Amino acid sequence: MPQKSKKYKITTRTREMFVLRRRRQRADSGICPVCRRSSDFQTLNSATIALKRGKLEILRLIAEQVVHAFEADDGELLICDGSLGI
């Protein structure tokens, strides 16, 4: 008597997720409105990475006018590299 072959149906489910983050590492160069020097500008997020400090600490330095910052036309906070010591 011939053997019956067993058939198995394997069903798998996969799910893919893509996370896209807009990362603007560095803004344009220009003249800092505080120190009036030609400088590159960092966003708050990139300044935290460069300085290895938290956002609140950098905002405190801005409030104490240790670090130069201004708000761009699009509302983003830009920080002068010259005042960061980068």
Side-chain angles (χ1 to χ4, degrees), residues 44-45 47-58 60-61 66-67:
L44 182 58
N45 287 335
T48 58
I49 293 167
L51 291 178
K52 296 180 178 140
R53 295 186 182 189
K55 289 181 184 179
L56 289 177
E57 186 174 353
I58 293 175
R60 182 185 55 77
L61 293 171
V66 174
V67 173

Side-chain angles (χ1 to χ4, degrees), residues 6-42:
K6 294 183 179 181
K7 293 183 180 180
Y8 294 99
K9 181 179 181 181
I10 300 172
T11 305
T12 61
R13 293 183 185 185
T14 61
R15 184 185 335 196
E16 289 184 43
M17 180 184 300
F18 292 97
V19 178
L20 298 176
R21 290 191 178 107
R22 182 179 153 227
R23 296 191 76 191
R24 207 170 120 185
Q25 290 298 321
R26 194 169 276 238
D28 294 332
S29 297
I31 304 294
C32 175
V34 179
C35 65
R36 303 283 185 216
R37 288 188 284 172
S38 178
S39 181
D40 289 333
F41 298 104
Q42 299 279 339

